[in-house]
Structure formats: structure tokens, C-alpha cells
């Protein structure tokens, strides 16, 4: 069975919409793609079909949900499952001001009891694989022991796949600075894989080259890249060959652009 999580393109607000994901599939067929984070209330109170519709070529594709109300998250996950997503992912890593005011995203790492209620409610209502994207910590909730206890508590509810951004979130910083401050701590993520060999651990944060991906894959199960996928898409046109062992067919930017024309016309 293919481990599609070996190379993932991160959910990014105002970046990884269905049009970008369709383009991404022109240069990698095997990797895991994700939607932007969509709040559960947007799905329940808005136009769910418009929000969740995607092209069949996007598979495997995961729906990332935001929110902290167990019932709302469960209902949104059910709708996501009905739309055929290959994975439902809960955002437990975003540190934005909007997320803080709504007490979701990374701030759920401070409230394991609420997070556990959300996970339990979602998992009992869907059969689609359910995963968590988190940070190594937030504010004073940090360190080896904290992250170990966090993963232990959450995995007790049947979550077996964690995407871990290897940087602590700081609530006093804006979203942009939370992508560069404090320094990344890859070693802590490696330690968690050693501590929980039964869990699938995907590392995220500051990864920009194929060689870096290969180095990380010696220690963890998968790698997630973010803005470098959006800024330099052709850089990843060899991923299926170098990471998944597929036959490589060199693609030029012009060939990808021309392949998009029928999609644009439709």
C-alpha cells in the first residue's frame, strides 16, 4: 500500500484551494493534498457543496476542519465524508488571532479535555481516517514531556496519524512571525517517533528541498511542505520519482500550463 503521507502539501489559507490542488496534481500524482482550513460552521451554515467540491483527479485529498464544538465538528466531518474526502484532518496548529478568539486551532493544545471530546465525537460518526495537525507546543505548554503526554492522550482516542509542525506557537506573535519564531526543533519530533513507533508521524516546518525530505524520512513516516510548494511548484515535479519510485517524465512549465487550459475552460 502506498504511503501517500511520505510527501504532503500543507493546508494553507488562501493558497490550497481546489484550483491550486488541480495544478499540483499535474506534477505529483502520489502525494497527499489538503484543503484550506474550513471552519465547521462555514460548512454547516454556508454553501457546503461550493466549499467542498473538488476535481476527481485530486485524490488522495484530505479535508482540514477548524473548530472546537464537538457536535459541529462531527456534523461537518460527516458532510466531508459524504463528499468523498480520503481523510478528515483537525487543525490543532494554527495560531492566528481569529483562531485564538474562537478557542480552536493551536489553542486546543492547551485544553486536552475539549480536544478529546471533539475527537471522540467526530470519530464515532465517521469511518474516514481522522488525523491531527498540531505544533510541538504553544506558549508555556512545551517540552518533551508535554508533547509526549499530548500524543499519548490523543492517541488513546484512536488517532494514529499526527502531522507535527516542529515549531512552538506563541500567541503574542502574529501568524507570519509564528512561521519563523522560535527556531524549529526537528529533534523533538524525531524523539516522538521513537517514543511512539506505532504512530504515523509526519514532520512539517521549513522544509525546502528533496534532499531534506529524504533526510527526514530516515527518522519519521512523512514530510509536509507548505509555502515552497506554492512559490516553487516545479521544484517538486520529481517527487513521484525520488520519493515514491515512479518513472520520471520531465515536465516543463509550458506543458503544465497547457494541460490546465481544458480545466480553465470548464
Amino acid at each position: 500500500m502506498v504511503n501517500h503521507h511520505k510527501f504532503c502539501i500543507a493546508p494553507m489559507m488562501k493558497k490550497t484551494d481546489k484550483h491550486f490542488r488541480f495544478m499540483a496534481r499535474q506534477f505529483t500524482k502520489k502525494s497527499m493534498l489538503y484543503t484550506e482550513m474550513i471552519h465547521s460552521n462555514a460548512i454547516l451554515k454556508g454553501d457546503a457543496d461550493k466549499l467542498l467540491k473538488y476535481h476527481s483527479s485530486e485524490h488522495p485529498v484530505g479535508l482540514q476542519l477548524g473548530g472546537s464544538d464537538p457536535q459541529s465538528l462531527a456534523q461537518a466531518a460527516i458532510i466531508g465524508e459524504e463528499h468523498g474526502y480520503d481523510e478528515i484532518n483537525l487543525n490543532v496548529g494554527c495560531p492566528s488571532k481569529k483562531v485564538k478568539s474562537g478557542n480552536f486551532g493551536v489553542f486546543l493544545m492547551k485544553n486536552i479535555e475539549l480536544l478529546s471530546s471533539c475527537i471522540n465525537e467526530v470519530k464515532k460518526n465517521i469511518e474516514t481516517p481522522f488525523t491531527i495537525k498540531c505544533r510541538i507546543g504553544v506558549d508555556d505548554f512545551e517540552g518533551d514531556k508535554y508533547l509526549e503526554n499530548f500524543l499519548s492522550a490523543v492517541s488513546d482516542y484512536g488517532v494514529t496519524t499526527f502531522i507535527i509542525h516542529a515549531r512552538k506557537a506563541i500567541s503574542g506573535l502574529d501568524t507570519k512571525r509564528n512561521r519563523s519564531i522560535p527556531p524549529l526543533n526537528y529533534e523533538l519530533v524525531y524523539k516522538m517517533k521513537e517514543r511512539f513507533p506505532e504512530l504515523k508521524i509526519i514532520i512539517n516546518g521549513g522544509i525546502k528541498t528533496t534532499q531534506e525530505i529524504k533526510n527526514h524520512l530516515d527518522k519519521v513516516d512523512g514530510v509536509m511542505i507548505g509555502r515552497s510548494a506554492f512559490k516553487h511548484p516545479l521544484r517538486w515535479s520529481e517527487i513521484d520519482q525520488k520519493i515514491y519510485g515512479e518513472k520520471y517524465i520531465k515536465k516543463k512549465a509550458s506543458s503544465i500550463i497547457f494541460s490546465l487550459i481544458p480545466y480553465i475552460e470548464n
Side-chain angles (χ1 to χ4, degrees), residues 244-257:
Y244 294 98
E246 296 291 303
K247 183 178 179 180
Y248 177 58
I249 301 174
K250 186 173 180 60
K251 291 189 175 183
K252 297 180 180 180
S254 58
S255 68
I256 292 178
I257 290 169

Side-chain angles (χ1 to χ4, degrees), residues 105-152:
V106 76
F107 300 99
L108 282 171
M109 292 191 75
K110 295 183 176 184
N111 192 339
I112 298 291
E113 185 178 352
L114 176 58
L115 175 58
S116 298
S117 296
C118 292
I119 294 167
N120 189 49
E121 191 65 27
V122 171
K123 282 189 62 62
K124 74 182 185 183
N125 280 284
I126 63 171
E127 296 181 3
T128 303
F130 181 68
T131 65
I132 294 290
K133 186 176 189 297
C134 63
R135 295 267 187 150
I136 57 173
V138 53
D139 296 334
D140 295 333
F141 294 72
E142 61 177 336
D144 294 33
K145 199 64 183 175
Y146 165 74
L147 187 56
E148 182 177 325
N149 289 340
F150 174 84
L151 295 178
S152 177

Side-chain angles (χ1 to χ4, degrees), residues 35-206:
T35 68
E36 304 168 84
M37 179 181 67
I38 305 175
H39 196 282
S40 57
N41 288 341
I43 294 173
L44 298 181
K45 299 177 182 179
D47 188 338
D49 285 339
K50 184 177 181 180
L51 286 169
L52 300 179
K53 188 177 180 181
Y54 58 91
H55 194 275
S56 60
S57 66
E58 292 180 39
H59 290 292
V61 57
L63 166 63
Q64 189 185 66
L65 294 176
S68 58
D69 177 71
Q71 284 71 37
S72 296
L73 282 169
Q75 289 303 309
I78 290 169
I79 295 170
E81 183 172 70
E82 290 170 349
H83 278 75
Y85 281 92
D86 301 287
E87 176 182 323
I88 306 294
N89 177 269
L90 180 62
N91 186 312
V92 191
C94 179
S96 73
K97 290 181 180 178
K98 186 180 292 186
V99 158
K100 183 179 181 181
S101 63
N103 194 34
F104 63 105
V106 76
F107 300 99
L108 282 171
M109 292 191 75
K110 295 183 176 184
N111 192 339
I112 298 291
E113 185 178 352
L114 176 58
L115 175 58
S116 298
S117 296
C118 292
I119 294 167
N120 189 49
E121 191 65 27
V122 171
K123 282 189 62 62
K124 74 182 185 183
N125 280 284
I126 63 171
E127 296 181 3
T128 303
F130 181 68
T131 65
I132 294 290
K133 186 176 189 297
C134 63
R135 295 267 187 150
I136 57 173
V138 53
D139 296 334
D140 295 333
F141 294 72
E142 61 177 336
D144 294 33
K145 199 64 183 175
Y146 165 74
L147 187 56
E148 182 177 325
N149 289 340
F150 174 84
L151 295 178
S152 177
V154 174
S155 61
D156 280 347
Y157 284 85
V159 177
T160 59
T161 299
F162 292 84
I163 303 162
I164 305 177
H165 186 143
R167 179 181 279 114
K168 184 183 83 166
I170 300 175
S171 58
L173 299 179
D174 60 28
T175 304
K176 183 177 181 180
R177 287 190 292 171
N178 260 299
R179 292 197 294 267
S180 59
I181 302 171
L184 289 155
N185 187 348
Y186 295 137
E187 291 297 327
L188 180 53
V189 182
Y190 298 160
K191 284 182 183 178
M192 293 304 108
K193 179 58 188 177
E194 292 175 0
R195 171 64 181 81
F196 301 98
E198 73 281 5
L199 299 179
K200 181 185 280 190
I201 303 290
I202 296 103
I203 198 166
N204 171 230

Side-chain angles (χ1 to χ4, degrees), residues 1-8 27-32 207 209-218 220-225 235-248:
M1 182 179 290
V2 176
N3 174 16
H4 295 289
H5 287 104
K6 285 178 76 174
F7 180 78
C8 311
F27 57 83
T28 171
K29 304 295 185 185
K30 297 291 184 180
S31 58
M32 191 76 197
I207 301 161
T209 69
T210 304
Q211 188 55 54
E212 288 178 85
I213 289 171
K214 289 182 175 181
N215 294 342
H216 285 301
L217 288 174
D218 289 336
V220 291
D221 303 292
V223 171
M224 175 177 277
I225 65 164
R235 180 182 296 174
W236 310 105
S237 62
E238 297 180 358
I239 279 295
D240 287 357
Q241 176 207 26
K242 293 187 175 180
I243 301 301
Y244 294 98
E246 296 291 303
K247 183 178 179 180
Y248 177 58

